[in-house]
Amino acid sequence: MSDDRTAADDPYQTSEDRGAADDPYEPYGPWGPVEEDELADLDEFLRVCAELTGFDVPELRATGMADEHHRTALAHRVRDEHALVHLWYVGSWPGEAPTSARAHDHGLVWRTFRASPPGATAPGHGSWAEAPYGGEQR
């Protein structure tokens, strides 16, 4: 952290990290809280998540994780936008283990990097002989 910022300016610190013990459920994302009513309906949840992640609703549905991520979001009292983005990209709620191996493997991070999660898919016979996506052939 640079000298001109204080620990209170760090949007990724929890309220406990900042010493605010009066509200342990204070949202810690830089965007603020998502209204609870927005998450109750699956279609509305996906619309909000599409706005946050940069992927459209059909792409989010295509991950096969819409229902599982919706249940995960509803199970948490704190519903801030940073946590929702983390859930979609990594497959886990911040500070928790992935909701399932499938959630990790279908995280948006892999689509963003145009990669496969390590150990999730076989590269195929002879794949070592081909240049990686966007790479140069030697």
Side-chain angles (χ1 to χ4, degrees):
M1 195 174 317
S2 67
D3 294 337
D4 58 334
R5 292 182 56 203
T6 65
D9 293 330
D10 187 356
Y12 300 105
Q13 283 189 325
T14 63
S15 58
E16 290 86 11
D17 293 338
R18 290 189 302 265
D22 56 327
D23 186 7
Y25 297 106
E26 178 182 303
Y28 58 89
W31 304 282
V34 173
E35 295 298 321
E36 187 170 335
D37 294 339
E38 286 183 290
L39 299 181
D41 178 61
L42 177 61
D43 291 330
E44 186 63 17
F45 168 76
L46 289 172
R47 186 197 62 74
V48 168
C49 291
E51 256 181 59
L52 296 172
T53 62
F55 286 81
D56 60 26
V57 171
E59 289 173 311
L60 295 179
R61 285 188 186 276
T63 66
M65 299 307 304
D67 290 324
E68 185 173 328
H69 286 345
H70 186 228
R71 283 191 304 274
T72 300
L74 291 176
H76 289 83
R77 181 171 171 203
V78 177
R79 296 190 180 105
D80 73 274
E81 295 168 346
H82 175 262
L84 290 175
V85 171
H86 191 273
L87 178 63
W88 279 100
Y89 273 82
V90 182
S92 67
W93 197 259
E96 296 180 6
T99 55
S100 67
R102 187 170 174 259
H104 175 264
D105 293 348
H106 292 278
L108 296 178
V109 68
W110 307 115
R111 289 177 187 224
T112 302
F113 293 120
R114 296 183 182 153
S116 296
T121 58
H125 179 72
S127 63
W128 55 268
E130 296 183 25
Y133 181 81
E136 297 178 14
Q137 187 139 357
R138 294 184 181 202

